[in-house]
Amino acid sequence: MTSAVPVLLSSSSVFPEPTAAAFELAAALGYDGIEVMVWTDAVSQDAGALKGLAAHYGVPVLAVHAPCLLVTQRVWSADPWERLRRSAVLAETLGAPTVVVHPPFSWQRDYARTFADGLRTMQAAHPDLRFAVENMFPVRMAGREFVPYQPGWDPTTVGYDSYTLDLSHCAASRADALALADSMGGGLEHVHLGDGSGLGRDEHLVPGRGNQPCAELLGSLAGRGFRGAVAVEVATRGARSRTLREADLREALEFARRHLTVAGDSQDAAVTGDRRSGNR
């Protein structure tokens, strides 16, 4: 028995290698698909180039991460709504069902003020997509802590139709990942799988190398009725060679598959037991 939940490789996981390398590594390692992080790499912004890579390597794009980072504030447009609109069009063109989006930065006052209503309008314009708002984290500098997001790092305090749960961000915010998944409820559509030490910074460790409940979260997805994808989002910039980067990404994939499969097998066994006992 294998899990029905697809495991994707985020193209951010191969940085500083380019987007094309993510497709090559995903195919070599056996990932089910790619989450494209739209950033300054021109290929990440180009539907034709991404379609060509997906076809060449036989690895579909199943999620698009809108350009929400500090370093991507000028990608496509300075207008965050235009960046999100173009991300939606890119996802539709590639056949990806999910667009990952961050809450607004605190200095994006107009965007923040209209974010919830604008997201509903965007959803109506692209009904086949899920705009999954991601949990973020406070920033700690010089002994001080501040939240650079409006109205905060936890999107469930506002309430959206769809969410992305990022486990590394849970570590950075010292949040209980399982409790946050509970708060997201049926809106949990996408998972960023990475680990963290809980030291208050965003680490994106290979799952199993930190203290987050990565295995428990994956094991709980079947019982949550999860219908989305799990995207491995780990930092490999410190890897000194392609071989070491590949080893980290293989380990992360094996971790995800192992814990998703155990959950799937357990659920199947329970259903089979119910059927044999006459329960419906």
Side-chain angles (χ1 to χ4, degrees), residues 6-17:
V7 182
L8 317 183
L9 178 62
S10 168
S11 60
S12 67
S13 296
V14 307
F15 183 83
E17 292 194 63

Side-chain angles (χ1 to χ4, degrees), residues 145-216:
E145 178 177 296
F146 67 97
V147 178
Y149 304 98
Q150 184 64 251
W153 61 263
D154 179 359
T156 67
T157 62
V158 176
Y160 300 102
D161 291 338
S162 300
Y163 300 100
T164 295
L165 177 65
D166 188 302
L167 285 140
S168 177
H169 293 176
C170 287
S173 61
R174 299 192 176 104
D176 182 327
L178 295 173
L180 186 54
D182 289 343
S183 295
M184 292 176 174
L188 177 57
E189 297 281 3
H190 196 67
V191 172
H192 279 166
L193 180 61
D195 214 333
S197 65
L199 295 178
R201 61 179 182 268
D202 191 21
E203 297 169 286
H204 288 286
L205 303 177
V206 171
R209 297 184 186 177
N211 62 11
Q212 291 304 290
C214 298
E216 292 86 346

Side-chain angles (χ1 to χ4, degrees), residues 5-266:
V5 176
V7 182
L8 317 183
L9 178 62
S10 168
S11 60
S12 67
S13 296
V14 307
F15 183 83
E17 292 194 63
T19 302
F23 287 87
E24 179 185 356
L25 284 165
L29 296 173
Y31 278 82
D32 298 310
I34 290 285
E35 177 181 321
V36 170
M37 171 71 79
V38 179
W39 65 299
T40 55
D41 179 359
V43 169
S44 73
Q45 307 169 29
D46 188 324
L50 293 169
K51 270 189 168 184
L53 287 166
H56 178 75
Y57 287 106
V59 182
V61 176
L62 296 178
V64 169
H65 195 309
C68 304
L69 306 177
L70 282 173
V71 296
T72 60
Q73 294 300 291
R74 300 293 174 182
V75 168
W76 282 333
S77 170
D79 179 1
W81 285 120
E82 177 62 12
R83 293 198 300 272
L84 187 55
R85 185 195 69 79
R86 291 187 64 166
S87 298
V89 171
L90 180 63
E92 287 176 331
T93 302
L94 297 171
T98 301
V99 175
V100 178
V101 58
H102 291 181
F105 285 116
S106 54
W107 57 84
Q108 294 174 309
R109 294 181 181 177
D110 289 342
Y111 182 50
R113 179 175 51 80
T114 61
F115 186 66
D117 288 340
L119 209 55
R120 284 190 285 270
T121 300
M122 191 75 68
Q123 182 67 74
H126 304 277
D128 294 330
L129 298 180
R130 298 185 294 266
F131 294 87
V133 185
E134 185 172 358
N135 62 296
M136 300 306 292
F137 52 93
V139 174
R140 297 171 178 89
M141 296 178 62
R144 300 180 62 186
E145 178 177 296
F146 67 97
V147 178
Y149 304 98
Q150 184 64 251
W153 61 263
D154 179 359
T156 67
T157 62
V158 176
Y160 300 102
D161 291 338
S162 300
Y163 300 100
T164 295
L165 177 65
D166 188 302
L167 285 140
S168 177
H169 293 176
C170 287
S173 61
R174 299 192 176 104
D176 182 327
L178 295 173
L180 186 54
D182 289 343
S183 295
M184 292 176 174
L188 177 57
E189 297 281 3
H190 196 67
V191 172
H192 279 166
L193 180 61
D195 214 333
S197 65
L199 295 178
R201 61 179 182 268
D202 191 21
E203 297 169 286
H204 288 286
L205 303 177
V206 171
R209 297 184 186 177
N211 62 11
Q212 291 304 290
C214 298
E216 292 86 346
L217 187 280
L218 294 175
S220 76
L221 291 179
R224 295 176 187 277
F226 185 73
R227 296 290 184 269
V230 170
V232 167
E233 191 179 74
V234 297
T236 65
R237 66 177 70 87
R240 296 183 178 180
S241 68
R242 165 64 78 86
T243 299
L244 292 175
R245 174 169 292 114
E246 187 172 332
D248 281 350
L249 298 179
R250 179 182 292 109
E251 181 180 334
L253 175 62
E254 289 173 351
F255 183 100
R257 288 252 172 84
R258 180 166 64 253
H259 293 290
L260 286 167
T261 299
V262 168
D265 285 346
S266 298

